Amino acid sequence: MGNKDLPMAVTMMIIFIVLFGLSFTFQSSGVLVTHTTAAFFPRVVLAVAMFLNLILIIQTLLKGPDGGAKKGIEPEAAKRVALSMVCTIAFGFGTAYLGTLVSMALFIVGIMLVWGNRNFKVIFLNALIAPIIVYLIFNKVLLVQLPAGILL
Amino acid sequence: MFEQLLTGFMTMSEPINILAVFMGVLGGMILGAMPGLTAPMGCALLIPFTYSMPPVPAISMLVSLYCGATYGGSISAILVHAPGTPAAAATTFDGYPLAQKGQAGKALGMACISSFIGGFFSVIVLVLLAPVLAKIAIKFGPPEYFALSIFGLSMISSIGSKSVIKNLLGGTIGVFIACVGMDEISGFSRYDFGITHLMDGVSFIPVMIGLFAAAEVFRQAEIGMRKVVMDRKITGLPTWKEVKSVKTTLMRSSLIGTFIGILPAEGGTVASFIGYNEAKRFSKNPEKFGTGVLEGIAGPECANNAATGGSMVPTMALGIPGSGTAAVILGALMVHGMRPGPLMFIQHANEVYAVFAGMFIANIMFLGLGLGGSRIFSQILRVPNYVLSPIILILCVVGTYALKNNMADVWIMLICGIIGYKMKAYGFTAAPIVLGLVLGQLIEISLRRSLIVFENNPFIFFTRPWSVALLFLTVLGLCSPMIRTWFDNRGARKRAKKNGDSCEGTTATCEDGLD
Amino acid sequence: MKNIKWSMLALAACGLLWQSATTVQAEEFPSKQINWYIHSSAGGGTDIFTRTVSAELREKLGVPIVVSSMSGGSGARMLNYMMEQPADGYTIVSLTNSNLATMARRNTEAQREDLVGIARGCYDPQALMIAPSVAKYKNIDEIIAAAKANPGKVKVGITHVASVDHVAAYLFSKAAGLQLEYVPFSGGGEIVVALLGGVIDAGVLNPSEVMGQVEAGNLTAAVLFVQERLKDFPDAPTAKELGYDVEMNTWRGIAVKKGTPEPIVKKIRDAVAEIMQGEKYQKYLADNSMGPESVMSGEQWDAFMDAEWPLWKEIMTELGYRK
């Protein structure tokens, strides 16, 4: 036990099977009868994927539990990564509601705090300057309409 | 021809033209170095400004932007693991580790010199052989493209992590992701789950930015606050001896890149992966690839810039774009009243050769800017990661959004970033997935198109010469580690017999083939 | 010291942004930025057309006009977005027949009736083209004869299925009672390669895109889908001459959402009409091998679309693409 490849491979297998099943819902045209249908290629690819996954599962079972012996990362680091991801997702949502410029600034503050920076001068300057430069380049020079929420 | 080229150089020597090339190269390098901003986008932004310009500076500027951007992508790939252009994805494999070892200057210098050599070589080919080589592009029908993409896909077994099975699985998943969205043959949507954004499929660039750049930010989060990568000397350029040591790689990649560039459906991205893989295959020490070897930078970088000149071959000689950027340049040529095609070299000889001269100058210019600037670019590594990483991520987000003004792409990018970080713990790497995604659509379309054109005859792939040759190369490539082991062992046995020593089988190379 | 300088600069930049963001809402149209959306990616024909017009319109109306590409689902995303915006003239879209196809397939909630034409700007003839030196069938009579003798064996290259190319070829085959094999490609360039390589027998193309090959004698038109012969192809008959009433060509135009107040529509129509009659625009048309008849006023174009719209709905149903 303790081999983490196994649950992953099994999960992937289930996903592949579901996707394979979904291929039966695709539409097909009555006119282009001589052509291969939309489902043809995804099914081939999924079949190959399932075959490879099966080999992986067998390989893992034969290899036994030694794969699980790998050390995980320390909890402190894992927490940083997880919080960084939360910040990133919040940033994605923030662009739509708060606007891109504000979200960028908040994101920088968030990441720097999560990573343990307490030098507020650096945080403040980075959160102020970087977003404004990025915003100016994209919005004013490249004329990209960045999402604006209630703020900017 | 040489006379015309000389006239071209004379035309280019006018200050306005030189300035146009310089602006193009500089703008291209900056755009190229930013993740998400790509050469086609830069060219499209420039086109309205080129309306009022004479044709020569207008087209030279766009072409220079293309050359500059293709090189520029390597800068961010090497320094921050964020390939600025898709074609620079393969440069991260060895460029980033080398920069992390404190030799950013060497990595940047190598990328710049390789780009220059590849680019320069391809322009020579373009000038000398464009009309002849354009005929090869016509020889490539759907079966040939299928064989070529299978050849490209065969590389997934050797790039990426140590586990061959996981590389293959990753590649297959990449190919599957390419299936999402509108099926070009039947016109029906697949796996879109009712989301309009997915009807056009999962674009390759957001996935690539996510898997490479955003995942790296999370990896930095794992490390936590770190002052600087290297506080000592980080700026030494590669020595002449080091450049000379990769000359075979450079020659090989120049040829590969130019050839792939000429084919209309393929561009710098595929060229750079093949360039990397072949550099590894023919290397004396393939096991060191991925740890920061110079050949691993020279291979892809040389190939992707060689594809710039290559892709101009069909663009100029056939009127068929050789790459995404070439398509935009083709549009610009038409805006300026030129009709690219077989008569282009006769009807518009002056403009054409002036543009070629401009491409030569553009290559020389980015060599100068790149080598001179590598000292400045490397300073990025002096910025502490807790300042730099969030900036990289906001650039990824904004750049991805700018691709299509689409928030859905940003979400794809962020999800891929998280997956890219997580999957490493399970022994998967980004390279095979990205390669599968790049080639997936071509594999599917060329296969099914071949079946339509040749009335469902599956043997067509084995009866057309180019197709057979490419499939043979694929098989050879897949078997090469085994063949090599066999030769090595035989050599070792012979030597052992001669010397009467005990057999020391060199089995290091068979790790590639068997797991 | 350096930091202070930077912060000052940043503050100044902040002020600048604030000002541009809060332009005062005036009574008169246009009083603020106009957003113009296109469904194709940058650098394509629609993009160049849009940028040609928008650059001049910006000067005429005196407000910023920002052109953004909103690709996705062949215009579905762009049209859906337009439907969400108020009908006030500040949201403009570039429309092509592929968008009509998308609407006919009901891939978007928008329908033809939800749009008001500002002007048509491009009318790019389509033709069934062949490569005379390699083709098995050298003219349209041979193609028709071959297709009648061997149904489904004559291969015709098209750009995407259910596109204007496909529909043109399909209408022609239906009128002539043929059964053709359609080979979908991803772009005109690929069709040219396949034609020159002898992979397909004929292909539907816009001659304007491939004039280089035409001038070199590598490609020629077999039959045109326009009403009158083109001067570049004196020998190529129109479908009408052969007795098949088929007219299906690529067009591009500018439209706003239905319900936009009449005075605003009129103002944009007038401004655009003036631009399109201008020297610059006519040069753009000539450079892209299109005739001055491309330009149609909003009213004319609306009538034109009304005539074409039922055809699209009918064909998409026949081909099995209408949801």
Side-chain angles (χ1 to χ4, degrees), chain C residues 210-281:
Chain C
V210 293
M211 276 321 284
Q213 292 287 357
V214 171
E215 284 172 1
N218 290 345
L219 287 181
T220 189
V223 62
L224 303 169
F225 299 120
V226 278
Q227 295 286 341
E228 276 163 38
R229 289 197 180 206
L230 299 174
K231 66 174 191 313
D232 290 314
F233 307 100
D235 301 330
T238 65
K240 207 175 184 181
E241 283 174 49
L242 299 173
Y244 314 120
D245 187 19
V246 178
E247 188 187 4
M248 186 50 72
N249 301 287
T250 314
W251 48 255
R252 300 186 189 100
I254 306 162
V256 293
K257 191 178 169 184
K258 182 103 177 183
T260 306
E262 199 56 45
I264 293 179
V265 173
K266 192 176 175 307
K267 191 159 184 182
I268 310 176
R269 274 181 175 174
D270 290 348
V272 171
E274 212 177 302
I275 290 165
M276 287 185 176
Q277 295 308 332
E279 198 185 320
K280 237 183 180 170
Y281 189 79

Side-chain angles (χ1 to χ4, degrees), chain B residues 186-187 318 339 405 449 453, chain C residues 77 105 155 184 213 215 321:
Chain B
S186 74
L318 293 175
R339 288 163 174 182
N405 294 313
R449 201 177 282 151
V453 171
Chain C
R77 189 172 150 240
R105 293 181 67 172
K155 291 163 200 106
Q213 292 287 357
E215 284 172 1
Y321 287 117

Side-chain angles (χ1 to χ4, degrees), chain B residues 334-471:
Chain B
M334 297 215 255
V335 165
H336 284 279
M338 283 184 251
R339 288 163 174 182
L343 300 183
M344 178 86 168
F345 288 78
I346 300 161
Q347 287 174 336
H348 298 283
N350 290 340
E351 287 93 337
V352 168
Y353 283 96
V355 169
F356 289 169
M359 279 184 87
F360 277 119
I361 296 169
N363 275 294
I364 297 167
M365 242 176 218
F366 79 63
L367 178 71
L369 283 171
L371 287 182
S374 69
R375 193 174 289 268
I376 305 162
F377 307 147
S378 318
Q379 298 305 318
I380 279 197
L381 294 182
R382 289 190 186 274
V383 180
N385 68 343
Y386 52 86
V387 174
L388 191 59
S389 290
I391 297 179
I392 291 169
L393 207 112
I394 62 173
L395 273 175
C396 290
V397 167
V398 177
T400 311
Y401 180 80
L403 273 178
K404 285 188 188 168
N405 294 313
N406 196 340
M407 209 51 208
D409 280 344
V410 175
W411 286 115
I412 290 174
M413 188 276 286
L414 292 178
I415 291 166
C416 285
I418 293 172
I419 293 173
Y421 169 77
K422 287 274 181 202
M423 75 184 180
K424 204 164 187 187
Y426 294 98
F428 284 92
T429 48
I433 301 180
V434 165
L435 193 61
L437 183 54
V438 171
L439 290 169
Q441 203 181 14
L442 190 67
I443 294 176
E444 169 172 19
I445 298 290
S446 55
L447 170 65
R448 293 172 63 195
R449 201 177 282 151
S450 306
L451 291 176
I452 297 173
V453 171
F454 297 100
E455 285 146 19
N456 293 332
N457 174 7
F459 299 106
I460 189 65
F461 305 107
F462 309 108
T463 51
R464 290 168 62 109
W466 276 97
S467 165
V468 172
L470 283 163
L471 288 176

Side-chain angles (χ1 to χ4, degrees), chain B residues 9 34 52 124 151 153 183 191 324 329 354 429 467-468 483 497:
Chain B
F9 271 108
M34 299 248 234
S52 50
I124 295 175
F151 173 68
L153 197 67
D183 163 31
Y191 299 114
I329 294 172
T429 48
S467 165
V468 172
I483 297 171
K497 247 182 207 166

Side-chain angles (χ1 to χ4, degrees), chain B residues 253 256-258 260-261 266-276 299-300 303-304 306-307:
Chain B
S253 282
I256 293 171
T258 311
I260 301 288
E266 298 279 4
T269 312
V270 176
S272 65
F273 275 102
I274 296 184
Y276 181 84
N304 69 26

Side-chain angles (χ1 to χ4, degrees), chain C residues 53-247:
Chain C
V53 180
S54 67
E56 283 191 77
L57 192 63
R58 196 171 294 143
E59 285 163 28
K60 275 238 150 63
L61 297 179
V63 288
I65 297 178
V66 177
V67 178
S68 312
S69 155
M70 209 178 247
S71 55
S74 264
R77 189 172 150 240
M78 173 188 84
L79 292 166
N80 286 347
Y81 179 81
M82 183 203 72
M83 294 300 281
E84 290 165 13
Q85 304 307 306
D88 56 5
Y90 290 104
T91 305
I92 297 181
V93 293
S94 289
L95 207 67
T96 73
N97 351 38
S98 18
N99 302 142
L100 227 48
T102 308
M103 290 188 259
R105 293 181 67 172
R106 298 203 199 125
N107 278 340
T108 160
E109 58 199 85
Q111 293 291 293
R112 155 73 190 101
E113 292 75 22
D114 296 314
L115 290 152
V116 177
I118 295 296
R120 188 182 81 178
C122 300
Y123 194 62
D124 203 354
Q126 288 201 110
L128 190 66
M129 301 195 78
I130 48 169
S133 51
V134 287
K136 266 185 275 178
Y137 318 114
K138 311 281 183 201
N139 56 44
I140 188 64
D141 297 330
E142 286 182 34
I143 292 176
I144 292 176
K148 283 210 166 126
N150 301 302
K153 295 283 181 212
V154 175
K155 291 163 200 106
V156 176
I158 52 170
T159 315
H160 304 305
V161 282
S163 67
V164 63
D165 306 38
H166 188 183
V167 168
Y170 176 75
L171 282 174
F172 182 77
S173 69
K174 204 169 101 172
L178 309 175
Q179 200 190 326
L180 301 171
E181 177 78 286
Y182 301 102
V183 188
F185 287 87
S186 338
E190 289 187 12
I191 296 182
V192 175
V193 172
L195 276 175
L196 297 178
V199 172
I200 50 176
D201 300 309
V204 183
L205 288 165
N206 297 104
S208 65
E209 282 177 44
V210 293
M211 276 321 284
Q213 292 287 357
V214 171
E215 284 172 1
N218 290 345
L219 287 181
T220 189
V223 62
L224 303 169
F225 299 120
V226 278
Q227 295 286 341
E228 276 163 38
R229 289 197 180 206
L230 299 174
K231 66 174 191 313
D232 290 314
F233 307 100
D235 301 330
T238 65
K240 207 175 184 181
E241 283 174 49
L242 299 173
Y244 314 120
D245 187 19
V246 178
E247 188 187 4

